[in-house]
């Protein structure tokens, strides 16, 4: 153990030493950014491998890269919400159900009730956020594990889908279809509205997490909840807000999913909470909370998307290989996390 | 010394927990610019008083006056706002955040809701610098050892109450056992910081089990015993023997003459030998020999390392240094299983949490250790089991003498006997008893003591830990004296050894 204080008073009559310089390897392993860097490196390696293997099929086209955002925008938004929750040391299993419910709720209001889209969008977002708020409230005030409370939310919202209708409702609203087809040109290629919204959400989450007191409280609570309480931080408000944001993100992801698929279906989004959690973990956020970056989540989603792209380019592989690859990656990243936390405990 | 007005005055503080009166009418005052020690054995009410002061527990009676104004402190946050900051034994900071952020979190300077990181870093660096510390505030907290984290917690505490980071808004700083896991240099650094804050006019309340530290740093002390105020003294006016008398509530001459020997004088060859056995943060390396049939008593204040020593000999904690030889064979002591295999049995002082399974029956509890040593593949035949259980229930006079009774429903003394029976059934060579008589009635106490004597006569070695010195003195052949987590002396019991002699050894820390 090394003392790290300088001796100012001669009376103490002793010299203090600087902390011993850790070796480069241990410092790298201790760096909280390491998992994110690994994810970025993995993405680049996969991308370069894809380009060299499928050169003749146009894998290197900028649009193939941009399609990752277009095809996975909804997942990215859901994963950003999940990032906040996991960072605070919790978990949200209701994501997929809220997405499914939002598609049903929106399709039903627009198609069968004839409500204007401008009213339906805030309504759908509000319902998602309120659902998250309720779960956060129960988690905090009754001190119940987030796992159980959001599991209840998962069943509740999935059930509500079926209350609206057992059949899927396709959306023929002209505004929705024109929005879905709108492409914004970036010179090299183009992005959909959904992809743009997702990028805005990532930027907003980055700002909130790093430049607001709320964001820092999320890190503090995830780091050590008891300490955060004794430091006088408002625990309850922060936790409830985190689940509210997650609910909002899930509802927004549901709206983007509608743009992507143009229908409401009680079976939409089944298991998507697990995709979101996988993206967050692959993006380097510790499941124990307190450590992670929303940009890591962005790359986590991109890696998952790239796996799908590569498998579709390969042509002969079944789409189940996506799941297998995700499983292998997830396992590898959990092991990296374990190595990091084990080092910290020594 | 002319007495200025106290910054904090607590008068007639009463705190009750269900069935226990933790504090009954305690008065406490704290002057600006002093370091004040709160003394007392465990359970004397120190922690309760601190928790009342810092708003963790609401008080049931009495008044708290801060700076001449009556205050009601309802939560840790309110205490901080009122100018009372606490640094706990466990550092309550977030290891995943930077040092600067830990100092500022919850009150970061913001502009239009945006945290001004540059300001956070420069102000944190200034605060750290003002207190004479050399800490890189941009490094994560986890990069620093616990001792430095504790200093950072103090920086955070004293910086509380003012948003610009200049000066100090803290009037009272409570340090609850901050030194328990620090080494000597780290303690000196903490003391330097404490003196600086004291000279700036902060009133510091310091709690520590280490008497030397109290005498080194404190100006005044308040002594509590059993939830009542014993007295307030200037540290300079009270020597360590007097302080210990006040803490345990018995004058030395009162303890004299209680001491009778009924021990067999001859003990056998060496059974257990520990050489340089120690554990950082537990107990300093010690040498110890226990002979066959010997009762070795451990004396020392609570927190002096008695239990820690016993746990090392049982492998419940892993030693960092030294080795143990039992009956001539070296034992690795990396887990209790090693010790049990070598014939060591350990009855924990926390019989309810570390000993018995309260929801199981007397029979199941008694048979547990024997069954565990045989392994689950070789169950003890029912007839043999019932016979053994009946034998020990009778031998130890466990009441009710019903093997089907749930242990949780037994009285403390009978629970202790069940725990004893469990280990006796395995026929250990060394029996470690950590406070076996705590919280049990006088009759059961005498029975257990008699049992220890007869076990010793039968050739079993016993390591006996008790808070009451008379008890240790009455039973032991040899008395190991512990102080500040160090085995400072081993006294061979004899007519010249008295409780006052032991107390003096505890107080002076050396064999006289």
């Amino acid at each position: 153990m090394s003392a790290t204080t300088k001796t100012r008073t001669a009376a103490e009559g002793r010299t203090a030493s600087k902390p011993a310089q850790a070796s480069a390897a241990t410092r790298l392993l201790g760096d909280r950014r390491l998992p994110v860097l690994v994810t970025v490196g993995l993405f680049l390696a996969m991308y370069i491998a894809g380009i060299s293997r499928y050169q003749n099929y146009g894998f290197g086209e900028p649009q193939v890269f941009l399609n990752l955002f277009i095809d996975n925008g909804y997942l990215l938004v859901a994963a950003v919400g999940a990032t906040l929750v996991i960072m605070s040391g919790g978990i949200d299993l209701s994501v997929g159900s809220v997405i499914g419910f939002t598609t049903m709720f929106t399709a039903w209001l627009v198609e069968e009730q004839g409500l204007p889209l401008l009213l339906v969008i805030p309504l759908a977002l509000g319902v998602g956020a309120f659902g998250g708020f309720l779960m956060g409230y129960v988690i905090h005030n009754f001190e119940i594990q987030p796992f159980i409370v959001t599991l209840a939310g998962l069943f509740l919202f999935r059930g509500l889908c079926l209350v609206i209708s057992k059949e899927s409702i396709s959306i023929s609203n002209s505004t929705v279809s024109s929005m879905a087809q709108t492409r914004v040109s970036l010179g090299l290629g183009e992005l959909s509205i959904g992809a743009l919204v997702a990028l805005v959400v990532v930027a907003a989450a980055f700002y909130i997490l790093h430049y607001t007191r709320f964001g820092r409280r999320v890190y503090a609570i995830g780091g050590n909840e008891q300490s955060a309480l004794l430091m006088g931080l408002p625990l309850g408000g922060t936790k409830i807000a985190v689940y509210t944001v997650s609910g909002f993100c899930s509802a927004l992801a549901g709206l983007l999913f509608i743009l992507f698929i143009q229908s409401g279906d009680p079976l939409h989004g089944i298991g998507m909470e697990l995709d979101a959690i996988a993206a967050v973990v692959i993006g380097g956020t510790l499941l124990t909370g307190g450590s992670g970056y929303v940009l890591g989540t962005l790359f986590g989603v991109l890696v998952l998307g790239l796996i799908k792209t590569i498998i579709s380019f390969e042509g002969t592989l079944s789409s189940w290989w996506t799941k297998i690859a995700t499983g292998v990656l997830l396992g590898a990243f959990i092991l990296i996390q374990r190595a990091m936390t084990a080092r910290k405990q020594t | 010394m002319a007495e200025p007005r106290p910054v904090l005055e607590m008068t007639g503080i009463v705190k009750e927990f269900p069935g226990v009166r933790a504090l009954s009418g305690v008065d406490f005052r704290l002057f600006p610019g002093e370091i004040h020690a709160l003394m007392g054995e465990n359970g004397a009410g120190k922690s309760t008083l601190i928790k009342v002061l810092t708003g963790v527990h609401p008080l049931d009676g009495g008044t708290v006056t801060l700076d001449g104004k009556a205050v009601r402190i309802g939560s840790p946050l309110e205490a901080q706002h009122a100018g009372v900051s606490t640094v706990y034994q466990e550092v309550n900071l977030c290891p995943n955040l930077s040092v600067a952020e830990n100092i500022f979190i919850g009150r970061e300077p913001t502009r239009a809701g945006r945290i001004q990181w540059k300001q956070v870093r420069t102000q944190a660096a200034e605060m750290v610098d003002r207190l004479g510390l050399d800490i890189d505030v941009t490094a994560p907290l986890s990069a620093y050892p616990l001792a430095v984290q504790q200093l950072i917690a103090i920086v955070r505490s004293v910086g509380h109450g003012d948003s610009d980071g200049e000066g100090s808004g803290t009037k009272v700083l409570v340090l609850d056992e901050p030194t328990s896991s620090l080494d000597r240099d780290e303690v000196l650094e903490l003391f330097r910081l404490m003196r600086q804050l004291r000279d700036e006019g902060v009133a510091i309340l310091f709690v520590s089990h280490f008497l030397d530290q109290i005498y080194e740093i404190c100006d005044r002390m308040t002594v509590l015993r059993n939830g009542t105020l014993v007295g307030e003294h200037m540290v300079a006016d009270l020597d360590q023997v007097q302080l210990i008398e006040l803490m345990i509530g018995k004058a030395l001459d009162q303890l004299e003459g209680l001491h009778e020997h009924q021990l067999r004088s001859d003990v056998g060859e060496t059974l257990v030998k520990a050489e340089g056995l120690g554990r950082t943060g537990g107990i300093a390396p010690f040498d110890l020999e226990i002979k066959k049939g010997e009762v070795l008593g451990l004396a020392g204040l609570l927190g002096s390392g008695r239990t820690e020593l016993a746990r090392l000999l049982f492998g419940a904690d892993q030693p960092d240094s030294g080795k143990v030889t039992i009956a001539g064979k070296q034992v690795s002591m990396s887990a209790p299983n090693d010790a049990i295999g070598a014939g060591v049995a350990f009855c924990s002082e926390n019989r309810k949490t570390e000993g018995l399974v309260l929801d199981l029956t007397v029979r199941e509890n008694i048979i547990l250790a024997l069954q565990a040593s045989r392994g689950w593949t070789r169950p003890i035949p029912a007839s043999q089991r019932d016979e053994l259980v009946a034998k020990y229930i009778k031998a130890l006079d466990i009441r009710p003498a019903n093997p089907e009774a749930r242990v949780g429903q037994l009285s403390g003394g009978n629970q202790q006997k069940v725990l004893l029976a469990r280990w006796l059934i395995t026929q250990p060579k060394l029996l470690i008893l950590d406070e076996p008589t705590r919280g049990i009635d006088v009759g059961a106490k005498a029975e257990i003591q008699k049992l220890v004597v007869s076990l010793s006569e039968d050739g079993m070695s016993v390591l006996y830990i008790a808070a009451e010195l008379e008890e240790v003195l009455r039973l032991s052949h040899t008395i190991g004296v512990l102080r500040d987590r160090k085995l400072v002396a081993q006294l061979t019991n004899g007519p010249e050894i008295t409780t006052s002699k032991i107390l003096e050894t505890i107080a002076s820390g050396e064999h006289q």
Side-chain angles (χ1 to χ4, degrees), chain B residues 21-308:
Chain B
R21 191 159 230 225
L23 292 174
S24 34
V26 171
D27 297 337
F28 179 73
R29 40 182 208 157
L30 201 55
F31 293 91
E34 75 167 0
I35 300 177
H36 192 122
L38 189 57
M39 302 300 298
E41 287 203 291
N42 282 3
K46 287 178 301 186
S47 328
T48 313
L49 188 67
I50 288 177
K51 283 183 173 154
V52 166
L53 171 63
T54 54
V56 177
H57 293 326
L59 74 173
D60 297 331
T63 54
V64 180
T65 314
L66 202 60
D67 251 353
K69 287 192 289 282
V71 288
R72 270 204 100 76
I73 294 171
S75 73
L77 192 59
E78 279 177 43
Q80 283 174 20
H81 287 316
V84 180
S85 289
T86 315
V87 174
Y88 299 92
Q89 182 178 0
E90 308 283 322
V91 176
N92 280 295
L93 296 175
C94 291
N96 57 328
L97 304 180
S98 73
V99 172
E101 208 175 346
N102 267 296
I103 295 175
F104 269 95
I105 192 156
R107 53 204 163 98
E108 302 98 330
T110 56
R111 193 176 299 148
R114 183 190 166 106
I115 295 174
Q116 304 298 303
W117 281 116
K118 231 172 129 182
Q119 226 174 311
V120 168
R121 279 193 291 271
T122 51
Q123 286 183 13
E126 278 168 23
M127 287 164 71
V128 163
D129 199 47
R130 193 178 67 79
L131 294 173
L133 305 171
D134 182 17
I135 293 169
D136 175 9
V137 296
T138 59
L141 184 80
S142 55
Y144 286 101
L146 193 68
V148 179
Q149 295 187 15
Q150 211 136 33
L151 298 176
I152 294 167
I154 295 177
V155 174
R156 176 182 168 86
S157 298
V158 297
H160 232 290
D162 59 338
S163 52
D164 57 3
E166 303 284 326
S168 163
T170 295
K171 301 183 196 101
V172 176
L173 177 63
V174 182
L175 300 175
D176 189 2
E177 298 254 13
T179 55
S180 54
S181 46
L182 306 192
D183 66 28
R184 185 65 196 151
D185 279 352
E186 294 163 344
V187 169
L188 285 179
E189 184 60 27
L190 176 72
F191 283 1
R192 190 195 59 68
L193 184 59
M194 283 167 67
R195 290 196 185 99
Q196 183 179 345
L197 291 170
R198 174 190 65 190
D199 296 343
E200 287 172 13
V202 178
I204 298 176
L205 174 58
F206 181 67
V207 178
S208 170
H209 274 307
F210 300 106
L211 294 184
D212 283 344
Q213 295 181 355
I214 302 291
Y215 276 84
E216 185 177 345
I217 187 85
C218 295
D219 305 307
R220 192 191 295 265
M221 63 171 91
T222 295
V223 183
L224 299 181
R225 188 175 64 235
N226 296 334
T228 54
L229 175 72
V230 177
E232 190 202 79
H233 301 270
M234 297 305 290
V235 171
D237 299 342
L238 199 68
D239 67 31
Q240 294 206 15
V241 174
Q242 290 171 309
L243 172 61
I244 294 174
E245 283 180 9
L246 287 180
M247 281 166 66
I248 63 179
K250 276 176 193 161
L252 290 186
D253 45 4
Q254 253 186 304
L255 297 174
E256 309 268 4
L258 285 173
H259 155 59
E260 298 152 33
H261 282 278
Q262 323 163 321
L263 299 168
R264 73 170 204 175
S265 46
D266 58 318
V267 288
E269 69 279 19
T270 300
L271 175 73
V272 179
K273 195 169 174 190
E275 289 166 282
L277 197 65
R279 176 182 163 88
T280 313
I283 185 159
F286 61 90
D287 295 332
L288 193 71
E289 257 189 43
I290 306 176
K291 299 196 172 62
K292 193 166 181 304
E294 181 186 31
V295 179
L296 179 82
L298 290 184
L301 295 177
L302 283 170
S304 60
R306 300 180 313 211
T307 300
E308 286 77 2

Side-chain angles (χ1 to χ4, degrees), chain A residues 102-135:
Chain A
T102 307
T103 65
M104 279 305 284
F105 185 64
T106 308
W108 177 66
L109 287 183
V110 170
E111 291 300 317
E112 299 190 357
Q113 307 299 315
L115 260 58
L117 206 56
L118 273 179
L119 182 66
V120 173
I121 289 174
L123 209 57
L125 292 176
V127 169
F130 183 68
F133 169 83
L134 277 186
M135 288 186 282

